[in-house]
């Protein structure tokens, strides 16, 4: 295990209601991109939510690349 950094404080546990809200937010087409960009780069957000938002953004970028490639090739 890696030693914990001194400046890193303990983060509060993210409740199920907050996860459900994030998943629901991810289903709204344009709002999801704006919200996950905000969550990804904000320092005030819980680390778990920030990492989830970054993972969703990576997933959205992969899907966008696949859609562009399939439209070009077809």
């Amino acid at each position: 295990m890696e030693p914990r950094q001194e400046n890193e404080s303990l983060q509060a546990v993210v409740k199920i209601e907050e996860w459900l809200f994030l998943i629901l937010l991810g289903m709204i087409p344009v709002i999801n991109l704006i919200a996950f960009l905000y969550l990804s780069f904000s320092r005030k957000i819980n680390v778990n939510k920030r990492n989830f938002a970054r993972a969703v953004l990576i997933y959205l970028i992969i899907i966008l690349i696949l859609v562009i490639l399939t439209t070009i090739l077809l």
Side-chain angles (χ1 to χ4, degrees):
M1 293 182 94
E2 297 178 6
R4 181 172 283 233
Q5 295 178 355
E6 292 179 15
N7 60 358
E8 182 180 315
S9 62
L10 292 175
Q11 296 287 319
V13 175
V14 181
K15 297 178 184 177
I16 290 205
E17 294 86 15
E18 295 176 35
W19 286 118
L20 291 175
F21 176 72
L22 285 175
I23 293 170
L24 181 67
L25 192 63
M27 294 179 191
I28 304 171
V30 176
I31 305 294
N32 63 1
L33 183 63
I34 297 168
F36 286 136
L37 280 171
Y38 171 74
L39 290 172
S40 293
F41 298 111
S42 178
R43 292 263 181 208
K44 296 183 255 182
I45 302 298
N46 187 317
V47 174
N48 297 319
K49 288 182 186 178
R50 193 178 335 149
N51 289 335
F52 177 75
R54 289 176 181 168
V56 169
L57 283 176
I58 291 170
Y59 183 68
L60 288 174
I61 290 170
I62 291 171
I63 289 176
L64 182 66
I65 291 171
L66 289 174
V67 166
I68 291 171
L69 286 176
T70 55
T71 55
I72 290 174
L73 296 176
L74 296 177

